[in-house]
């Protein structure tokens, strides 16, 4: 499959279930946001930064902005692939991921999105500098690193 970015993405497989369908007969836009979160979490887990590690460090990457372009509809039983790349970070507070959702059966891109995250201290909810473990975990996944 061809993706928007040349670097190899982290990919999850998805299937549109009956519970994902809205009154218009296609996957509801809110479901796509859930899928973005699921993909980002699974990638973080693969990089060794799961919820237990976030709690141990008293740090987390929290969403501050989603930018989503809904390009085509997904329908019940569609098999989809959602890819993500870490495309930018300041190594202090902010990180940006890009996403692309495709239907392999016809190669159609259903969605392109970008999410900006900020590092927060879990105990206070306030912005805090990324710990060394975040630099070590997320750093190698940055495109071009």
């Amino acid at each position: 499959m061809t993706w928007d970015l040349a670097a190899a993405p982290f990919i999850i497989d998805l299937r549109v279930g009956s519970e994902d369908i809205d009154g218009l007969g296609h996957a509801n836009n809110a479901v796509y946001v859930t899928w973005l979160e699921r993909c980002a979490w699974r990638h973080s887990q693969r990089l060794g930064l799961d919820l237990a590690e976030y709690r141990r460090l008293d740090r987390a990457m929290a969403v501050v902005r989603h930018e989503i372009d809904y390009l085509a509809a997904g329908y019940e039983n569609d098999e989809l692939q959602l890819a993500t790349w870490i495309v930018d970070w300041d190594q202090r507070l902010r990180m940006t991921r890009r996403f692309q959702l495709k239907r392999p059966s016809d190669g159609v891109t259903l969605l392109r999105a970008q999410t900006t995250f900020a590092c927060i201290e879990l105990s206070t909810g306030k912005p805090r500098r990324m710990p060394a473990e975040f630099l070590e975990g997320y750093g190698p996944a940055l495109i071009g690193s």
Side-chain angles (χ1 to χ4, degrees), residues 86-134:
I86 297 175
V87 296
D88 190 31
W89 74 330
D90 63 10
Q91 299 183 27
R92 294 181 311 276
L93 188 67
R94 292 192 177 259
M95 178 174 71
T96 303
R97 287 182 176 275
R98 283 193 40 198
F99 298 88
Q100 183 180 3
L101 180 65
K102 291 188 86 169
R103 186 173 39 232
S105 65
D106 59 8
V108 169
T109 294
L110 281 66
L111 169 144
R112 287 187 177 94
Q114 181 168 295
T115 300
T116 303
F117 298 83
C119 186
I120 63 166
E121 184 176 57
L122 285 172
S123 59
T124 66
K126 294 184 179 181
R128 292 289 184 260
R129 190 174 187 92
M130 290 181 196
E133 292 87 345
F134 279 25

Side-chain angles (χ1 to χ4, degrees), residues 18-28:
S18 60
E19 68 279 2
D20 301 324
I21 302 302
D22 63 17
L24 301 178
H26 56 72
N28 185 273

Side-chain angles (χ1 to χ4, degrees), residues 40-124:
W41 262 117
R42 287 191 185 162
H43 189 213
S44 290
Q45 291 167 340
R46 174 74 53 89
L47 297 172
L49 296 166
D50 60 11
L51 191 53
E53 185 69 351
Y54 274 21
R55 287 181 177 141
R56 183 184 76 78
L57 297 168
D58 193 30
R59 295 290 187 280
M61 296 305 296
V63 172
V64 294
R65 181 178 175 87
H66 283 301
E67 299 172 61
I68 302 172
D69 293 318
Y70 298 97
L71 305 170
Y75 299 97
E76 189 171 351
N77 297 319
D78 275 355
E79 301 285 340
L80 307 174
Q81 287 191 316
L82 180 58
T84 190
W85 302 262
I86 297 175
V87 296
D88 190 31
W89 74 330
D90 63 10
Q91 299 183 27
R92 294 181 311 276
L93 188 67
R94 292 192 177 259
M95 178 174 71
T96 303
R97 287 182 176 275
R98 283 193 40 198
F99 298 88
Q100 183 180 3
L101 180 65
K102 291 188 86 169
R103 186 173 39 232
S105 65
D106 59 8
V108 169
T109 294
L110 281 66
L111 169 144
R112 287 187 177 94
Q114 181 168 295
T115 300
T116 303
F117 298 83
C119 186
I120 63 166
E121 184 176 57
L122 285 172
S123 59
T124 66

